[in-house]
Amino acid sequence: MARIGLFVCRCGRNIAGTVDVAEVAGILAEHPGVVHAEEYTYMCSDPGQLKVAQTIADQHLTGVVVAACSPQLHERTFRIACEKGGLNPYMCEMANIREHCSWVHPEEPATTEKAIELTRVAVEKVKHSRPLTPIRIPVNRRVLVIGAGIAGIQVALDAARGGYDVVLVEREAYVGGHMAQLSATFPEMERSRFLLRPKLAQLLSHDNVWLLTNSEVVELTGFVGNFKATIKTRPSTDAEAGLDLADEVFPRGVERQRQESTVEVEVGAVVPAIGYDVYPLESIPEYGSGSIPNVLTSLQFEQLLRTSEGGELRRPSDGAVPREVVFIQCVRSRDREHGMPYCSRICCMYTAKQAMLYKQRVPDGQAYVFYIDIRAQGKDDEEFIRRAAEQYGVLYLRGRVSRIFPQDGKVVVWGADTLSGMNVEIPADAVVLALAMTPAHGALDVARLLGVGADDHGFLTEAHPKLRPVETSTAGIFLAGACQAPRDIGSCVAHASGAASKVLELFSARHLEREPEIAHIDEGICAGCFDCREVCPSRAIEVKEIRDRRGELLDTVATVNDGLCQGCGLCVATCRSGAADLEGYTDSQLFSQIEALSSRWTSTTSAEKPGGGHGG
Amino acid sequence: MRVKISKASLQSGFLVDVEEMSGEHVWSCYQCGNCSAGCPLAFAMELLPNQIIRLLHLGQEEEVFRANTIWLCTSCLTCKTRCPRGVDLSRINESIRHLALRRGKAPDRFGPDQIEPGVAASAPPQGLASAFRKFGG
Amino acid sequence: MAGIGIFVCDCDGELSERIDLEVLGSRLQEHPDVVDVIPHPHLCSEAGLALIEESLAGKGLGAVLVAACAYDLYDVAFRPIMEKAELGPGQTVNLDLRVSSSRDENVKARTKHSVDRALALLDRLELPSDKLELVPEEADHGVVRRALVIGGGIGGIQAALDIANSGHEVVLVERQPSIGGHMIQLSETFPSLDCSQCILTPKMAEVGRHPKVRLLTTSEVTGLEGRLGRFTAKIERKPRYVLDSCTACGDCVDACPVLVCDQFNTGLRWRKAIFQPFPQAVPSIFALDDEHCLGLFPLACGKCEQVCEPGSIDYDMQPVTEEIEVGAVVVATGYEMYSYGDVSEYGYGKYDDVINGLQFERLLSASGPTMGKVMRPSDGREPKEVVFIQCVRSRNPERGKPYCSGICCMYTAKHAMLYKHRVPDGQAFVFYMDIRAGGKGYEEFVQRAMENDGVMYLRGRVSKVFEENGRIVVWGADTLVGKRIEIAADLVVLATAIVPNDGYESVAQVTDLAADEHGFFTATHGKADPVGGSVPGIYLVGCCQGPTDIPETVAQASGAAAKVCALFAAEPKRAVPEPMLAEA
Amino acid sequence: MEYLYYPGCTLVDTARNFDRCGRAAARALDVELVEMPDWTCCGTTFPLTNRKIVGLVAPVRTLVNARGEGYEELLTLCSFCYNVLKRANYAVRNRGDERMRINAYLEDEFVRAGQEYDEYEGEVEVVHLLEVLRDTVGFESVTAQVTRPLTNLKVAPYYGCLLLRPQSEIGLDDADEPTVLEDLLGALGCDVIDFPHRVECCGSYLGLSSPDIALQNSYEIVHTASRLGADVLAVVCPLCAYNLDLRQEEMHQRFSGFRQVPVMYFTELLALALEVEEEVYSWERHAVDPLPVLQTVGGI
Amino acid sequence: MAELNPPPWEPRIVAFVCKWCTYAGADLAGTVRLRYPANVRIVKLPCSGRIDCFFIVKALEQGADAVLVSGCHPGDCHYSDGNYHARRRFRLFRRLLEFLGVDLRRVQFACVSAAEGMKWADLVSDLADEVRQLGPYREYHQMCAGDGTGDERDREATHA
C-alpha cells in the first residue's frame, strides 16, 4: 500500500499569491495513499529539502510529491533529497503549480482547483512508479572540435593540455578562421596573427592533437561518451600549402591529405566552433549591392589594413589613397525588416579600431562613422572609443545612411545626424560597411547533423542562456564562440574555455552515469515484429536470439541498448503487443494520470467553484 | 536641405579658432545633453547648448552665429559643474561671442544708449558693466 | 652563487612599440639577485631559443625570468629548455609584457608598470639554495590538486562546481554568511526573465552538498604564498557565533531585540542582529552580526541563546586562521554599486524616493521587502511614473568613472519592463546615452520594452533631480529633438556605476594581482587569455576584472575552471592508443 | 580680528544698505572691516578666453594693492567681486604664462607711476564674509551672539552662481549641495526651507540686456520660493537682489497668481538678528518691503 | 444557493505535451508571466512520439471536453524525428476518430517550441474559447457513462 508524502511550496508569494496553498495540501491530504501533506515557504531551501528527507524516514514513505515550480528547475534537487531520506530518487515526482499555474492564472478558485488537479496527477503517477537505478556507460575520452578558428583552437588547446586526445576538423584549407584575416585587435591594437601564433604553436606541439584541414564532419552517430564521427577530407592543392598560419608557426608544417579520404573517429564529446559569416553585400540594393567601386565590407578593409602595414593604405579600385572614408555601422543589424533583428555586437568596436588604424596609415585623412548607439561595454572599450573621437578626430554621426551612390569619382553618402537634426551628404573616397554578423553558412546543416537546436537565424542554441551558456540540450555536445551568438575574440576565448571545461568535466571519469528513464522490452511478450526498430531514432533496438538448452534458435526478440536509448518512447507507442514500456512514463503511470484528471474528482472541491478562469 | 560635410568643412578655421581661444577641447563632448538639461536660460535659446557644440563638430559656423544662444549664456557654469567630460561651455560661448563681434556677426552691440533711463537709475553698476563687457568683447 | 638571468623579447618590434625595453632592462639589472639581462628581437625563434640554451649553460643561471608574450607561448617554447636545464617551475617565471599594453597610450606608464610586475615576480623565484623544497614523490611538476575560489557569487559558484565535478577538491571562501552574491538579490534576469533565485538556488544547494567542495563562509583570504601549482593560502574564518547544529528554525530571530538595517535588502528593510540573509541561504545556518549584537562582551542580552533549542549559539567563538595548500586560485570577488556619497545633483541619499538599481531589484523581488509590490520607500504608494537614469557616474571621467558599466542598459530595460508588468497603468521613462544591448536576444529585449511595454526612451543626460511637494522632479534633455525635458516622477531609479567589490584591495595585496586604476584586476591578455590573472596560476572571473553580465560571467567561470583542470590534469601523456583510423 | 575689505561698485551705490549692514554686523561680531583705500573696479566679469589677458589687469591690480596694504586676506561681500578676484588669483597662482604676462603689464604700470614692483604670485587670499563667519568666527558663536533670533521666519536660501562656481577654483562649498548659507540662517534662528532652485542663475546681466528673458527666468525662481511658502528669499549677490527683488512688480503684472516675496541680503538678516542700530537698514530700497513680514513673523 | 444558480460551465482540456519543447514553452509562458485561462491540464511526456492514441480516448472518456496534443516543430525534435512519427500516427488516428463520430474540433494537434511561450498562451486561450462555444462534450461522456445523463455533476451524484 502506497504511503505518499506531499509537500506544497509557497515559493514566497510566487505560488501562494494566487494559489490557496493550504487548500491544496488540505484536500490532497484526504487523497487515498497520501499519508502526509504540508506546505512550506521555500521547499528548495535547505530546511525544505531537510523536511522531505526527514519525513521519508519518520513516515516510512514509499513516494514523494513536491508541488512547486517546474521540474526542469528542482526535480533533481528533490530527488537527491529523497535519496538522503533513504527513498529511491525515482519515487519522487513534482507537480508544476508555478510556471503552469500560479504565474499564468489570476488569483481565483479555478487556479487553486487546477493546482489541486496537477498535484493529484503527480500523486497518482508516483503510486505507479518503480525504483530505478542510474545506468553507467563508458566514456571515450577524445574530443572532436569542429572549426579551427580562435574558438576551436582554444577548445582544442585546453582539452589537449588536460591530457586528452583532440580531433580538430577545419572546413577550409587554413586554420585561424576569421581571426587570421584580421589586422589588429581592439582595444589592445595588436596584430591579430601575433596573438594566434603562440596558441597555434602550442596546440600543434601537443602530440595528442590531430588537425584535419579541408575536412568536414559528414555524419555523427552514437551518444554522449560514445560518438562515432565520419570525417571527409578533400585533397589539398599545392596552392594552399604554405599559405597557412599553421605552416608559419609549425616548422615541419601540417601534413596534408593528398587524396580524398574518409575516416571514422570515435569520440566522447563534440564541440562545434563553426564561427560566423557576414551578411551578403550583394543583397543590399541601397548600398549598391556590391556594384559600386570602393564600397568595401569590413573584412575586405581588414585585409587592406593588414597588407598596408607600415606602408600607405591604397584603395583596391585605382590604388589611390582614400582621403575621406565613411564607416557605416549596423548594416542589416538591428534591422528586422530587411536584415537581422539582433545587434552584431562587435561592429562598434572594430569600426572604431579600423578608423584609428586608417588614420595611422593616412594621417591627413578624415574618418566618419555613422552609428545608432555606440556599444562599447567591454573592458577599456569606452575609453577606446573616446580616443578614436578625440585623438584621431573621427567624426561620429548618430544616424543611419539611406543611400550610397557613385558620382564623379567619389562615393556619395546620404545620411542623417539626428543630434543636430540635419541631413548630411559626404562625398567619400571609400565606404566601409559593418555588415551584420550571421551564422556561418551551413550552420543549420551542422545543427541537424549534431542534433542540437538553432534559433531562427541559425545560431546554435545553448541549454540555458544564463546558467548553461556553453552546453546544448544534447549531452556531450558543447558550443564554443560565435556560432552561439555574435561575440568578440576575448569573449570567444572565454566561451571556448568554458566549453573545454565541460569536456574536461565529462572526461574526468571513465564512466558516466545516465538517467535510467529509458525503454525496455518484455521478451516474454515481444512477438519479434521489430516495428520498434524501424521507428527508434537512436538505433537502440537490437535483435536478441533466444535459444534452448541445446542452443537451438527458438525465437528472435527485440531488446534495448541501455547506452543508446534516449527514452523517447516511440517504440512503446508503436509496439502492438504492448511488450515495450518506458520507465518513468509507463502506460500504467500515464493512464492513472489521465484518470486523476477525471471530472469525477471535482466532487472533492466545493461545488460553488466556477469551472475555469477567464484569462487575463 | 542636405548639409555637405567634408574634411574641409570639419577642419574649418572656425573650430580651430574656438578651440584656440577657449582652450577647450570641443571633441571631448559626446553629446549627452547634460548642459542643455541644466541650463537655466535654455528655454529662450534658439539652439540648445549641446547643439552649439554639435554644430561646431560639423563646422556649421553660420548656424552658430545665427542663433541667440551664445548671447544668452550668462557663464553661470551650471553646465561645466555637471559636464561628465569636463567641457567648459562658458569659455566656448565667450570665444564664439568674440569671433562674432570681430566678424561683425553680432547683433547690435548693447551699450549705454540701449538702457531706458528708469532702469539705469536702479540698475546695479555691476550689471551694466558686465553686460557691456559681454556684448562689447 | 648562481643568480637570476632575465631574457627580454621584443617580439619583432611589437613590444618596443609599447614599452621602453632599455629602461626595463636597466631597472631590472639593479635587482641584487639579477646577474644578467639578455635582450633579443624574437626569443621564440630558433636563434632566440638557442641563445637561451647556451646562456643557461654558460652563465649557470640559478633562476630565469622570461619577459616575452603570452604565458601560453612560454609554456610551449621555453619550458622544455628550462626543464632540460633542470630549472623547475620555482626557478622560472614568465612575465607577459602585454599585461599593461592595452591600458593607456603612454609608454612611460606601461614601462613602469612592467618593471613593477617584473620585480614582484622576481621575489617569487626560488634560487638554488631553497631548491630542496621540491619533494621527490610530488615531482609530477609539484602540483597540488586543490583549487581555492575566492568569492561565492555566481562566478565563484560556477567555477567551484566545474572544478569539483571534474573530481578536484575546491575550497570556496566567501566573506558573507551565505553564498549567492549579488545574483541572489536580483528579481528576474534579462533577457529570459527567469527569476534569479529559481535558477541560482539549485546551484547554491549543489555547492553546499558537493562532497568535493569545502565551503568557508564568513571567511577571508589573508595571505597567499608560493607559485603556480603550489600556493599556501592563509584563510581567516571569522566567528559566526552560531554552530553548524543550527536548524534555521528562526526562534532566535523572534527573541532578538536588536533591529539592524538589512544590507541584503539594500537597506529597504530591517533585520535582527541574529539573522539569515535570505531564506535559501547556503549554508542554512544563522549568523550573529557582532557589530550590533548585545550578547557579546559584556554579555548584556543573551536572549537568542536562551531560546535556541539545539543550543547552537556560542558567544565566545573566536576567529580561526588556517593554512591550506592549493595548486591554483580563482578570484571572483565581484562588484558593488557606486557609493551613495557624491551623487549630490540627483539627491541620491537625500530623498527616499531616489534609489539605485539594486534597491529596485529588491522592490521587484517576490521575496523582497515589499513581496514584489512596487512601492515608494517614502510613503509606500505605488509609483505611477518612474524615471530610470542610466550612466550615473559611468562614462563620466570628471565626476565618476570613465568606463561604461556594461550591464545597466539591459537591467534598466528589464526594470522598466517588470515595472510595467507590476503596474500596468504606470509609465516608465529611461534617460540614456547609447543603448548597449550587445548580447544574444538583448536587442530584441530592449525593443520589446519600447514597443510592447511602452517604455519611453529619452536620449540625454539628466542634469538635476529635486523634490517638490512629494514628487521627484527630473530635469533632463532629449538630444534628438533638441528639447529640455522636465518630468515630475514618483520614483527615480539611478543606474549607478559598477565598481569593484571593496574586498579587492586586500585580495590584490594578498595575491600580487595587477589591477587597473579603478581596482579591476587586469587579465594577462584581454583577447588571448581573458581569464588569466597577471600571476601565473591565479585566474579571474566576472566583475572583479570589469563589469560583466551573468552569461559572460558563467562562461568565464567555466573557462577558468578549464585552466585549473588542465593544470591539475595527470601528466599530459596520450591516453591508451585506440585505433583512430578505420577505413570507412 | 581685522580684515581688509573690498566693497566693490554696487555695494557703495545701489546696494549700499547691504554694505552698511555687513560692516555693522561684522563689527557686532568683533570683525573689523577696514575698507581698502582707493580701490578700483574688480573687472566685473572674469575673462573666459585665453586672448583676453587684459581682463585680468583690474582684479590683479586690486590684489597687488591689497598686498601693498600689508594684509594677507582681502574680504568681499559681493559674489561678483569675490568670483572675479578669486579666479584671477587662481590664474596667477596656477597658470605660469598668464602670471608672467599680467605681471609684465602691472610692473610697467607701477614703474611709470614711480613705484617699485615685485612680481605678484597670488600671496593674497580672497575671502568672503560667509567664509569668515563659518571658518573663523564659527556659526555656533554667531548663534551665541544673536540677541534677536529670527525664529519662525521661513527663509529660502539662494546662492546663485558666482559664489560657488567653478568649484575647482572657488571651492567655498559644494557647487551642487552647498550648506554654508543654510547653516548661517540656521544660526540666526531662521526656519530654512529646502529650496531646489538655490543654485540656479538669476539671469545676471540679462536683466539689463534682455529684460524679458531674464524676467521669465527670475520669475521661475521667486515664484517657486513663494509657492514653497518662503517669507523671505535670502541672497548673497547684489545683482541677484536686483533681478529677484526689483523686478517683482513686473512679475506681478505679467504672471497671474504670483505672490511677492521680499528679497533680503544675508547681511541684512545678520544685522537684524544681532540687533545692530536701525540706521543701517534702508527698507525703502527694497521693491518688496520686507518689514510687514518681519514684523508679523520675525517679531521685529 | 449553488444548486439554484450553478456557476458558468467551463471546458476541461487535457494536453499531452513533450517535455523538451511544449512543456518548456509552457514554462516560458510562466516565467514571462503571460496570462491564459486555467482550463488546460498538462500531462508531460518525453516526446509526442510516446503518445498512445488510447490516451486521447481515455481523456475524453474521463470527462475532457477537448484534448490538445503538442510537440516540437518539425526538425526541432530532441530525438530527431519522434514528432514526425507522431504526426503520421495522428493522421491515421484522426480518420479513426472521424469514423467513430468523434468531433475532430475537440482533438487538436499543435507545435510549440521551448521559445514560444506566447504561442502556447494564445493556443490555450483560443482553444478554450472554441470549446466554450461548442459546449460540454455530453454526447461522448454519455456514451461512456452509459447512463442517461453523463453530465459531470449528475455523475458526481451517482458516485456519491
Side-chain angles (χ1 to χ4, degrees), chain C residues 313-345:
Chain C
I313 312 288
D314 172 8
Y315 297 120
D316 308 323
M317 207 179 268
Q318 295 302 321
V320 191
T321 299
E322 63 177 291
E323 291 202 347
I324 302 180
E325 283 237 303
V326 294
V329 182
V330 175
V331 177
T333 45
Y335 72 96
E336 248 165 49
M337 300 294 269
Y338 191 87
S339 74
Y340 260 82
D342 59 334
V343 192
S344 51
E345 75 270 33

Side-chain angles (χ1 to χ4, degrees), chain C residues 165 204 256 315 389 395 496:
Chain C
N165 288 336
M204 289 166 60
C256 179
Y315 297 120
I389 307 177
R395 303 178 65 184
T496 45

